[in-house]
Amino acid sequence: QRLVGRWLEDGGLRLDCPSCALLGGRRSCHTNVDGTFTAGLRSFGAATRRIAEAIHQDSRHGHANHGTCPDCGYPTRAIREETAFSGCPEYWFRCDQCENVQFRSSVGATGSHPAFRAWLKRERRAALDPSLPVIERDGREAIQQRWTSLTGMGTYEAVRDRETLRYALIAIDGRSIPIDEQSSA
């Protein structure tokens, strides 16, 4: 479904899917950012591109950027929370010093990759298969995420280390992209 956007009072943006299941009486929120991040923007498209680029820059090397608190510099604890689907864990980074908590979604991090955004722009609509099992890759547990086009025959697949969220593979329509190209994409 096309996301429904709403500007918040502080100039921030909230995007919701009109079809997602209700969670706690509210629709599942796909984006909810404050006005400092979306300052000066007037379109939902420009805002979502800025958000996706920031998420990609923050997550492209897995959890490497999340070892210290951005507020006080104290080390953070990574907590992996399992969702109903093994391929879609969520990660919380908690600072015991100042109690800052940051949330990272494995699906959001993967979906923010420039290769995914270009693929989705071409395909226009896609669905994530959340039922893929945890696999083994290079002797470690890995999550496998696969999107299938709803308008064509395309597929986008990402395999990421389950602990660190570092990329092990990205494949578009069955063809892998070399790891060194993924980081600069």
Side-chain angles (χ1 to χ4, degrees), residues 16-29:
D16 298 297
C17 177
S19 295
C20 285
L22 291 175
L23 299 175
R26 297 185 326 208
R27 294 227 174 260
S28 175
C29 179

Side-chain angles (χ1 to χ4, degrees), residues 64-76 95 102:
N65 296 342
H66 306 296
T68 58
C69 177
D71 289 344
C72 71
Y74 197 78
T76 59
C95 176
Q102 296 178 54

Side-chain angles (χ1 to χ4, degrees), residues 89-121:
E90 297 173 341
Y91 299 84
W92 299 85
F93 298 90
R94 183 175 308 267
C95 176
D96 291 328
Q97 180 72 20
C98 73
E99 299 184 11
N100 177 312
V101 177
Q102 296 178 54
F103 168 77
R104 298 294 179 262
S105 158
S106 60
V107 174
T110 303
S112 69
H113 195 286
F116 176 82
R117 291 182 291 161
W119 176 82
L120 188 59
K121 187 174 183 178

Side-chain angles (χ1 to χ4, degrees), residues 8-163:
L8 304 174
E9 286 183 24
D10 70 353
L13 173 66
R14 181 177 172 105
L15 294 173
D16 298 297
C17 177
S19 295
C20 285
L22 291 175
L23 299 175
R26 297 185 326 208
R27 294 227 174 260
S28 175
C29 179
H30 291 269
T31 302
N32 195 9
V33 297
D34 67 37
T36 58
F37 193 77
T38 55
L41 299 179
R42 301 211 186 279
S43 78
F44 297 147
T48 54
R49 284 188 293 279
R50 183 181 285 179
I51 293 163
E53 182 57 32
I55 292 169
H56 173 65
Q57 290 304 321
D58 189 56
S59 67
R60 69 192 237 185
H61 300 297
H63 296 322
N65 296 342
H66 306 296
T68 58
C69 177
D71 289 344
C72 71
Y74 197 78
T76 59
R77 280 186 296 124
I79 302 163
R80 184 179 72 216
E81 244 179 55
E82 299 302 326
T83 65
F85 306 105
S86 61
C88 305
E90 297 173 341
Y91 299 84
W92 299 85
F93 298 90
R94 183 175 308 267
C95 176
D96 291 328
Q97 180 72 20
C98 73
E99 299 184 11
N100 177 312
V101 177
Q102 296 178 54
F103 168 77
R104 298 294 179 262
S105 158
S106 60
V107 174
T110 303
S112 69
H113 195 286
F116 176 82
R117 291 182 291 161
W119 176 82
L120 188 59
K121 187 174 183 178
R122 182 187 79 210
E123 298 296 335
R124 297 179 28 99
R125 292 181 61 221
L128 172 66
D129 179 357
S131 66
L132 295 175
V134 172
I135 62 172
E136 185 177 314
R137 175 89 178 198
D138 301 327
R140 298 177 53 89
E141 282 190 340
I143 55 175
Q144 180 181 18
Q145 296 171 336
R146 181 180 305 125
W147 283 263
T148 305
S149 173
L150 298 176
T151 58
M153 300 296 293
T155 59
Y156 182 94
E157 183 176 3
V159 176
R160 297 183 88 160
D161 183 278
R162 197 154 193 254
E163 288 299 315

